[in-house]
Amino acid sequence: MHVLFDLNGTLLDPAPLTATWPSTPRGLALNVLDQAVAQAMVDTMTGQFRPFAHYLRGALAHRAAVAGLPVEHVEAGLTAARALPAFADAAGALARLRDAGHRVSVVTNSGAQAAREALAQAGLDALVHAVVSAEEAAAYKPDPRIYRLALERLGTAPERAWLVAAHWWDVTGAKRAGMRTAWVGRDEAVLLETVPAPDVAAPDLASAADAIAAAGD
């Protein structure tokens, strides 16, 4: 069984994106990441594509302008984005699934090289079989093309693959592509009622990994 993980906000903590900002409200970095993703979604829906780093810069610049902060904070956020730390339970969750006989990969909106470097910086690269990037599909999640590409790359059927994400829109996209899904409610806390019910709803990565391992094949 293949288990695919989202990267930013699921395995990696976005908090450093705004770590240099004064009086940073809780959740600001996640809001910046969500705004970057929203831009990517709009471009995908309207037939455009550009590197994800462009959207992240746009989101950081917007929030910095609203807060009256200089561009140095934007640059600091972009630098931090290249080495986001893993959430405390990320390595254990990946190892748990690997030891249970699953093949663990990442499917991400980040560029492929940037994702591999981020995984290495976070100490997770040795636990990951493959990285599938939106840039390969020229479409961002939750567009079905990226999930289909990931399944093709891994040589597996949708029903033989899981997608683990802390974003409601990601589990929605994967579920509608026919995959099994595990939603990690660390940040969102309550799943939107319009989202297709995930196969697993867990408070953290460790619990999600345990549930997937227990589900077997």
Side-chain angles (χ1 to χ4, degrees):
M1 187 74 72
H2 290 270
V3 183
L4 290 83
F5 281 80
D6 170 62
L7 185 61
N8 301 309
T10 298
L11 291 177
L12 304 184
D13 185 354
L17 293 175
T18 56
T20 67
W21 298 23
S23 303
T24 303
R26 184 180 183 277
L28 177 61
L30 185 61
N31 181 270
V32 166
L33 179 60
D34 286 345
Q35 191 177 61
V37 170
Q39 295 173 71
M41 289 178 180
V42 170
D43 268 8
T44 295
M45 288 188 292
T46 56
Q48 300 296 313
F49 187 87
R50 68 189 83 184
F52 191 74
H54 291 198
Y55 305 118
L56 185 57
R57 176 182 287 277
L60 284 164
H62 175 262
R63 292 309 301 254
V66 169
L69 297 175
V71 70
E72 286 80 4
H73 291 284
V74 176
E75 298 304 326
L78 291 170
T79 297
R82 294 194 285 270
L84 296 177
F87 282 106
D89 58 350
L94 299 183
R96 169 82 171 92
L97 290 166
R98 181 197 60 188
D99 294 346
H102 297 297
R103 182 161 285 184
V104 177
S105 296
V106 164
V107 57
T108 177
N109 279 339
S110 292
Q113 186 60 33
R116 292 187 184 96
E117 291 174 359
L119 285 165
Q121 290 285 340
L124 301 178
D125 54 322
L127 297 166
V128 173
H129 167 66
V131 173
V132 181
S133 165
E135 66 184 8
E136 300 173 62
Y140 286 101
K141 295 187 291 180
D143 188 284
R145 285 173 287 180
I146 186 169
Y147 304 104
R148 288 198 296 262
L149 174 65
L151 295 169
E152 290 169 7
R153 281 272 308 278
L154 296 172
T156 190
E159 63 272 14
R160 297 283 301 165
W162 288 82
L163 186 281
V164 183
H167 313 294
W168 65 266
W169 48 265
D170 208 352
V171 295
T172 297
K175 175 61 74 172
R176 289 180 176 156
M179 299 172 68
R180 302 187 196 185
T181 58
W183 171 70
V184 178
R186 180 200 311 113
D187 297 303
E188 294 175 346
V190 177
L191 195 61
L192 288 164
E193 63 182 24
T194 55
V195 173
D199 298 274
V200 167
D204 50 43
L205 289 168
S207 300
D210 285 344
I212 293 170
D217 293 337

